Amino acid sequence: MNGEWRRVLLYLGGMMGPLGTFVMLPMIPELRDTFSVSTSQIGWALNVYLVPFAGLLLVSGTLGDQWGRARTLRTAVALYAVATLGYALAPNFGWFLAARAGQGAMNAFITPLLLATLTETAPTGGIGRIVGRYAACQALGQLSAPMLGGIGADTNWRIAYVATAAIGAVIALLLPASAREAEPDARWKADAPPRFQSLMRRPTLLVAATASLCAMGPIGARILVSLSGRDVVGLTGSQVGVLLLAGGLAGMAAAPLWGIALDRLGGRRATTIAIAVCSGLVALLPAAGAAWQLAVLWFVTGAATQSVVVSFQSLASIAAPDNRAGALSFTLSLRFGGHALGAVIWLPVFAFSPTWAYLGSAAAGAFAIVAVLASRIDTAGPS
């Protein structure tokens, strides 16, 4: 397999995390009925995926490089597919939760190793472009997930998980045998402490905090939009799937373009702009009283959301040059920890007042801007 095709497959691997995370969103009412659980309990079903995912991400990038990046990737994607199939076979809510936890654990090794491999090949001043293309594939996973979930909601929700497992199995089979030339480092025991200590430096910590605040706030608003679609404006599961698809398409188109802008503006400036715009749009979402208004606002917000993801992933890829995969996995850990926390905070608030849930989510973006400015890290761009 030549280098160009190998890179394409690595980009496509970026679909898996968003697909596994978000496929259940349009199916929340059906899952509640199948397992006789409440909306709050479904929120914990989101967390049982995100908590092991976020926890293992603290170390998965560093460990994956030491074990051998290619071998770790192929094994993780294959086991991810097996865990996803477990959803379709779940006879009860406990089984469903166990499958979610297994899938989250395996995905912790996929995203940082894929992204580290890609950014290592980026030319000087071109990290934004590489991350933008990868984020476009992440957006493809995000837009595929609600479509699969919406079809599952209106037919049989288990079908969506069978399809997700099949996609994961195909990617596992097609991943190149060597996603990185270097195999496990014989100096692992000697190098491990410095590698982990690099994650505690100021730039890495603040970029990771930025990702966490964004996930808890503006880029985590997707779950609120899915509930608005079903419970506020009265859409069906498939219609919510189409609604979320619109935001995903916008994000997929915006990601590579924002990557180019990021290389020109500089990472810190571009990240600040992206977070501010995204937060402002989320604050406007509760004003949407009709389905078409919600669709238009979410389309624009979806583009801004993915621009934020491109921005902080680009900064994370240069935060610790001596431990690129580790810094990426650490940042992603705090990001998905933020998603988990956001679900716990904003779902109960939404039940009380959708407006306050959206405004609180948007307000977290202001704190994220403070964190990124304090990081003092930047990619190429004007001084």
Side-chain angles (χ1 to χ4, degrees):
M1 181 179 296
N2 63 39
E4 192 60 33
W5 274 109
R6 187 179 78 172
R7 180 174 290 182
V8 169
L9 287 172
L10 293 173
Y11 281 133
L12 291 177
M15 292 175 55
M16 297 311 302
L19 193 62
T21 304
F22 299 119
V23 71
M24 69 176 288
L25 295 187
M27 304 186 296
I28 289 176
E30 286 69 32
L31 292 171
R32 285 187 310 217
D33 293 342
T34 298
F35 297 121
S36 300
V37 295
S38 67
T39 299
S40 295
Q41 288 173 297
I42 291 296
W44 283 107
L46 293 172
N47 289 343
V48 81
Y49 173 97
L50 292 170
V51 169
F53 181 32
L56 282 171
L57 274 170
L58 288 168
V59 296
S60 60
T62 303
L63 293 178
D65 270 354
Q66 301 303 330
W67 295 340
R69 195 179 288 178
R71 177 166 56 245
T72 304
L73 262 176
R74 291 170 69 86
T75 301
V77 175
L79 292 177
Y80 177 98
V82 171
T84 304
L85 187 61
Y87 294 162
L89 303 176
N92 54 56
F93 195 54
W95 182 306
F96 185 85
L97 293 179
R100 291 282 293 175
Q103 189 190 54
M106 290 304 100
N107 192 40
F109 290 90
I110 297 173
T111 299
L113 297 181
L114 286 172
L115 193 51
T117 301
L118 287 164
T119 55
E120 281 177 348
T121 67
T124 301
I127 285 178
R129 290 170 174 81
I130 293 290
V131 177
R133 292 167 190 162
Y134 182 83
C137 289
Q138 289 181 306
L140 179 60
Q142 290 173 1
L143 67 88
S144 300
M147 287 302 295
L148 284 175
I151 292 170
D154 293 340
T155 55
N156 184 330
W157 63 263
R158 299 177 192 269
I159 293 174
Y161 289 113
V162 172
T164 305
I167 293 170
V170 170
I171 291 177
L173 289 172
L174 293 180
L175 274 174
S178 178
R180 185 189 188 199
E181 295 300 324
E183 284 303 316
D185 191 343
R187 300 170 298 169
W188 152 241
K189 292 183 179 179
D191 289 349
R195 287 174 184 266
F196 285 113
Q197 288 170 11
S198 69
L199 305 181
M200 296 297 103
R201 297 171 188 158
R202 175 192 177 97
T204 305
L205 288 173
L206 286 171
V207 171
T210 300
S212 180
L213 288 164
C214 288
M216 186 178 68
I219 70 171
R222 182 179 290 101
I223 189 171
L224 301 180
V225 172
S226 69
L227 284 173
S228 289
R230 294 300 300 269
D231 296 343
V232 176
V233 299
L235 299 178
T236 67
S238 293
Q239 288 171 332
V240 168
V242 173
L243 172 68
L244 297 180
L245 171 66
L249 284 170
M252 185 177 177
L257 297 175
W258 191 251
I260 295 171
L262 188 146
D263 286 336
R264 293 178 178 175
L265 294 172
R268 187 166 48 177
R269 182 182 302 176
T271 304
T272 300
I273 293 170
I275 295 171
V277 171
C278 186
S279 298
L281 289 169
V282 168
L284 292 175
L285 283 168
W292 71 267
Q293 294 171 335
L294 187 63
V296 170
L297 274 173
W298 181 243
F299 181 82
V300 181
T301 306
T305 294
Q306 206 63 13
S307 297
V308 173
V309 173
V310 171
S311 298
F312 67 66
Q313 287 185 163
S314 297
L315 291 180
S317 71
I318 62 169
D322 54 343
N323 190 9
R324 187 185 299 265
L328 281 162
S329 69
F330 182 71
T331 297
L332 291 171
S333 172
L334 268 68
R335 172 193 173 178
F336 287 100
H339 279 299
L341 184 59
V344 171
I345 294 172
W346 304 125
L347 284 177
V349 174
F350 186 94
F352 171 74
S353 169
T355 297
W356 281 110
Y358 281 113
L359 292 179
S361 180
F367 294 97
I369 290 173
V370 172
V372 74
L373 291 175
S375 72
R376 300 178 184 174
I377 186 173
D378 215 346
T379 58
S383 58

